[in-house]
Amino acid sequence: LLKKYHKQEDYAVVVPRELLRQAERTQAMFNVLLVVIAGISLLVGGIGIMNIMLASVTERTPEIGIRWALGAKKRDIITQFLIEAVILSAVGGVIGVVLGIAIPFVISAFWGMTTIVTPVAPLLAFSISALIGVVFGIYPSMRAADMDPVEALRHE
């Protein structure tokens, strides 16, 4: 009817379903972008933990040698450095979870925006943080456990 009565096309037909599909595509692209950014952040954080642990292994080489001399097994040394890596990443995870819970409340209080923090999100964030500590702590702990006890005791 519009084409019949309007010789010049001075109208537009908008279908809400198409707008909804476009909004869903935009949100999906935004979600992918957030996942990529989070992945890069986890990778950088994990590399930081691994570097700190490698420095710790290097600084504590005499201690590792003494532990070997006193009868520590490879498993004991691996466990020691893995626990240290997990504690390091867990402390960072606790700080992140506290900020992740506090910031939405601050935003709600000051700007009046409604924010939602589900109970699963902090648990998942902390678990991922601890898992990053384990994954990126394996190489330094294996390196510590593979040290020659005599060379470790001679290290200054």
Side-chain angles (χ1 to χ4, degrees):
L1 285 174
L2 286 172
K3 282 186 180 181
K4 182 178 177 183
Y5 292 111
H6 291 263
K7 303 295 182 212
Q8 187 178 14
E9 194 171 311
D10 57 352
Y11 59 88
V13 177
V14 178
V15 179
R17 188 176 303 147
E18 187 59 37
L19 290 174
L20 182 61
R21 285 190 188 127
Q22 178 62 35
E24 288 172 349
R25 283 193 296 268
T26 302
Q27 184 176 4
M29 289 182 350
F30 185 69
N31 287 344
V32 168
L33 178 68
L34 286 177
V35 166
V36 168
I37 291 171
I40 291 170
S41 298
L42 286 173
L43 181 66
V44 169
I47 290 170
I49 288 171
M50 187 167 58
N51 284 338
I52 289 170
M53 293 306 300
L54 284 170
S56 176
V57 167
T58 302
E59 289 175 3
R60 295 164 60 188
T61 299
E63 173 191 334
I64 296 167
I66 292 170
R67 290 201 67 205
W68 276 116
L70 293 175
K73 299 200 179 355
K74 188 173 185 172
R75 183 186 74 228
D76 299 327
I77 293 173
I78 290 172
T79 303
Q80 173 187 348
F81 283 97
L82 269 180
I83 289 172
E84 187 176 329
V86 169
I87 288 173
L88 185 65
S89 65
V91 168
V94 167
I95 292 169
V97 165
V98 168
L99 288 175
I101 292 172
I103 289 174
F105 286 117
V106 170
I107 289 173
S108 293
F110 285 106
W111 288 284
M113 295 173 60
T114 303
T115 57
I116 300 170
V117 178
T118 61
V120 175
L123 294 174
L124 182 64
F126 181 78
S127 300
I128 290 173
S129 174
L131 180 66
I132 291 295
V134 170
V135 169
F136 285 92
I138 289 174
Y139 175 69
S141 62
M142 293 297 287
R143 190 165 164 190
D146 288 338
M147 284 185 180
D148 180 34
V150 174
E151 290 298 319
L153 286 170
R154 283 189 193 159
H155 183 77
E156 298 236 1

